[in-house]
Amino acid sequence: MADIYTMGIDLGSTTCKGVVLRNGTTVVGSSIVPSGMGTSGPEKAYEEALADAGVKREDLSIIVSTGYGRNRFEQADLVISELIAHAIGVHSMYPEARTLIDVGGHDAKAMSISERGRLENFVMNDRCAAGTGRLLEIMAKQFGVDVSEVKDLAEKAEGIVPINASCAVFAESEVIEQMSKGADIPSLAKGVCASLASRIAQLVKKLGGNGPIYMSGGVGHNTGVVKALEKELGMPVTVSVIQQLNGAYGAALYGYNRVNK
Ligand code: ADP
């Protein structure tokens, strides 16, 4: 029987992600590109995922889009909610997961997943940058490093400078002030990670989320945030091996189940 290829494309506010799945089981190609302006990010994510998989558009049985920009991708055959895509993705990789935390550049979500992989409940923050990856981006700029290096700074810290402001704009002023007073940058970076983790933990507590807890989204790259989150929640938080690709993977799997009914 011929192989069935499906694509999931997750159009986030910070990055666009594509996954090509073979027969609903094997990721054969993927892409992560900055969202950029207009349709450049979605188009690039789509082209790069196809190229990475070595397949052509006509080989794809279905393209399923999800994420913040999901309705603006014309090539999509089907559009699904990001929450559904994430629930499908995490349940397929980690059937034991009961809570998924997805923290991206502009929003954070905590979702309860049933034993059968259904989305039971969710809590979302898409209002306050201090509880999303945006906080790390703002602070990385102040520290003069790339966002991927904030965790390296935090790991070097011997102490911690707590961040008291609950708003990203005020937190940035607080960090600038601390830096002008000569505060140790790694300790400040650790304070930033702890501050973000405490906001994410509030979401999980509001949800009443149970373990095992898994995490997806770009912020999962930051081990400082993940460790602080485990401390806040008093339980392990496992970062999905596919991290930022979980939504796109879930969408590709949804597409496979649809065409293979
Ligand atoms: P979205 O789906 O909302 O577009 P992502 O899930 O791609 O967002 O996450 C983007 C966020 O992840 C960025 O704001 C940044 O804070 C964080 N991030 C991305 N890559 C890394 C990295 N390598 N190390 C640390 N943080 C990262």
Side-chain angles (χ1 to χ4, degrees), residues 12-15 17 104-106 133 136-137 147-148 217-219 221 244:
S13 53
T14 307
T15 62
K17 286 82 56 176
H106 283 83
L136 297 177
E137 290 177 33
V147 71
S148 60
V219 171
H221 288 291
Q244 264 157 301

Side-chain angles (χ1 to χ4, degrees), residues 119-141:
L119 175 71
E120 291 195 311
N121 196 6
F122 74 96
V123 178
M124 185 166 182
N125 161 32
D126 58 0
R127 309 259 145 192
C128 158
T132 71
R134 183 84 191 107
L135 185 78
L136 297 177
E137 290 177 33
I138 292 168
M139 298 308 184
K141 224 178 214 169

Side-chain angles (χ1 to χ4, degrees), residues 85-200:
H86 278 299
I88 292 171
V90 75
H91 181 72
S92 157
M93 301 218 59
Y94 303 103
E96 71 282 11
R98 289 298 158 268
T99 300
L100 175 69
I101 308 167
D102 180 74
V103 189
H106 283 83
D107 67 29
K109 307 174 267 290
M111 296 158 252
S112 289
I113 317 285
S114 76
E115 271 177 40
R116 297 177 60 203
R118 296 188 76 90
L119 175 71
E120 291 195 311
N121 196 6
F122 74 96
V123 178
M124 185 166 182
N125 161 32
D126 58 0
R127 309 259 145 192
C128 158
T132 71
R134 183 84 191 107
L135 185 78
L136 297 177
E137 290 177 33
I138 292 168
M139 298 308 184
K141 224 178 214 169
Q142 292 303 334
F143 299 146
V145 298
D146 185 75
V147 71
S148 60
E149 294 166 315
V150 175
K151 69 168 193 305
D152 306 324
L153 284 176
E155 267 165 22
K156 275 191 232 151
E158 285 176 8
I160 180 164
V161 178
I163 307 296
N164 298 310
S166 56
C167 156
V169 177
F170 292 135
E172 184 179 22
S173 307
E174 201 177 318
V175 164
I176 293 171
E177 195 188 331
Q178 289 283 1
M179 286 172 75
S180 71
K181 286 188 198 155
D184 176 53
I185 304 254
S187 305
L188 265 175
K190 195 166 178 180
V192 167
C193 293
S195 165
L196 175 52
S198 94
R199 271 168 228 297
I200 301 168

Side-chain angles (χ1 to χ4, degrees), residues 7-22:
M7 179 186 274
I9 187 139
D10 178 3
L11 307 175
S13 53
T14 307
T15 62
C16 293
K17 286 82 56 176
V19 162
V20 178
L21 200 56
R22 186 173 57 217

